Amino acid sequence: MEWLALQHALLSHLPVAIGLLLPWPLLAAQRRGRGFRSWWTVARYLSWAGVLGILGSLLSGLAMGRLLSLLPDQRSLTLLAFGDGPQLHLLRHALLGAVSLLLGGAAVWAMNRPRKDYESLGLLALSLGLLWSLLLLVTGERGFRLAQRHLQAPVQKPIQAPVAAAVVPPVPPPQPRPEADPEAGLPLRALDFASLVPIQADPVKSLAHGGRWIRAYASPEAAGAYRAGSPLPQGALIVLSSVEDRWGRPGPEVGPVYALDMKVAGPALTFYWGRIPEARRGEFAGESRVYWRGSDAHLDTCRACHAEGMADPAKRSRWRPKKVVPAE
Ligand code: HEC
């Protein structure tokens, strides 16, 4: 699932390219006469490629949504109508993708209808095809903006060195604008852990974190220090992704995301679980989703081991699942 999820950015380029390419052969195929039949073939070929591309993008997108527990459950589907924030944008993007698949199916059908040699490819094929291309482009653009939002969230202003006053004429310092907190609803940076450097190849069972199977990811500049267990540089981000244990092995249920942010003001912990399985909700006052960060009192228990930020490297778990060797 993880592999598929990480292919989403790559796979989703194909339908976008089809959205750009398809209109031209479709227009050319509107001319009647035998000389224009090769454009039918081009349009049909592109439409099939587009349908396969959108199918791949949808599957990998769903896997990504599940991996990051971003897909809401039925109860929060009302979000679509009333909510706001990244989750709403994600839902819209997913819905656009699903509609693109349906419309793509219709367009492929219209383009592959039997036509007489002297006819054109038909207005139905043209209109469905153009509409589909537009939808593919809009879906891709929405996805691109979602990804951009991810990238923009982490911007940390570099600390500026004091400049000699004599050289620079005194300029009134710009008033810091009260900016909306981009991570108010979701820990965007932590959820993007796939863009960080993975520390273990396989998950390890961590008794300190509810007996879940965890994998650690570190921001590139901190990966070396984290591996070595030496103090982390300022600005470092370490994320644990986790899955629930099932019969002593990593199970199918996605667990919480844990994050450690080495901020200027000191280490900051985050605990985010996008979809708590029914059976575990009792431990979270019945909530289906929790997001604790900063000075949240729920994180006090974490500070027993994370007072300085990073936990004692000597206590790291090394408990890997046993390799099952298939019997001959
Ligand atoms: C009993 C001690 C203990 C408690 C309690 C604990 N952790 Fe950890 N934590 C560890 C250890 C040990 C590691 C190293 C990874 C491993 O082997 O589990 C770790 C790793 C981490 C990391 C990766 C960075 C690092 O320090 O290695 C994060 C982030 C993290 N924990 C967050 C949390 C959060 C959030 C909580 C509270 C919900 C929590 N931890 C509770 C011991 C603890």
Side-chain angles (χ1 to χ4, degrees), residues 40-41 43-45 47-48 104-115 121 125:
W40 299 18
T41 315
R44 287 172 178 170
Y45 167 72
S47 66
W48 276 113
V108 165
W109 164 79
M111 282 177 223
N112 286 279
R113 282 175 312 158
R115 306 281 294 171
L121 195 52

Side-chain angles (χ1 to χ4, degrees), residues 65-66 68-74 253-256 272-278 281 287-290:
R66 224 187 88 86
L68 304 183
S69 346
L70 279 177
L71 295 181
D73 49 20
Q74 286 92 332
E253 228 130 31
V254 179
Y272 173 78
W273 203 349
R275 196 185 316 191
I276 305 176
E278 298 275 355
R281 292 191 187 163
E287 297 284 346
S288 61
R289 171 184 186 273
V290 293

Side-chain angles (χ1 to χ4, degrees), residues 312-327:
D312 181 359
K315 302 222 169 91
R316 285 186 190 162
S317 328
R318 287 187 179 75
W319 188 347
R320 293 199 160 68
K322 276 202 206 81
K323 290 265 185 290
V324 181
V325 185

Side-chain angles (χ1 to χ4, degrees), residues 209-276:
H209 304 98
R212 302 190 172 95
W213 295 86
I214 57 154
R215 279 185 79 181
Y217 295 80
S219 49
E221 80 287 358
Y226 186 71
R227 273 205 193 93
S230 41
L232 298 172
Q234 209 169 66
L237 173 68
I238 314 286
V239 180
L240 300 182
S241 75
S242 73
V243 295
E244 293 282 273
D245 177 277
R246 193 194 221 177
W247 302 320
R249 299 182 57 80
E253 228 130 31
V254 179
V257 170
Y258 304 81
L260 170 65
D261 226 329
M262 298 303 284
K263 294 193 175 165
V264 183
L269 288 168
T270 302
F271 179 94
Y272 173 78
W273 203 349
R275 196 185 316 191
I276 305 176

Side-chain angles (χ1 to χ4, degrees), residues 72-95:
D73 49 20
Q74 286 92 332
R75 255 197 296 166
S76 45
L77 271 184
T78 40
L79 206 91
L80 190 62
F82 309 109
D84 196 12
Q87 221 161 1
L88 174 74
H89 291 286
L90 183 96
L91 258 181
R92 287 210 185 121
H93 173 62
L95 275 184

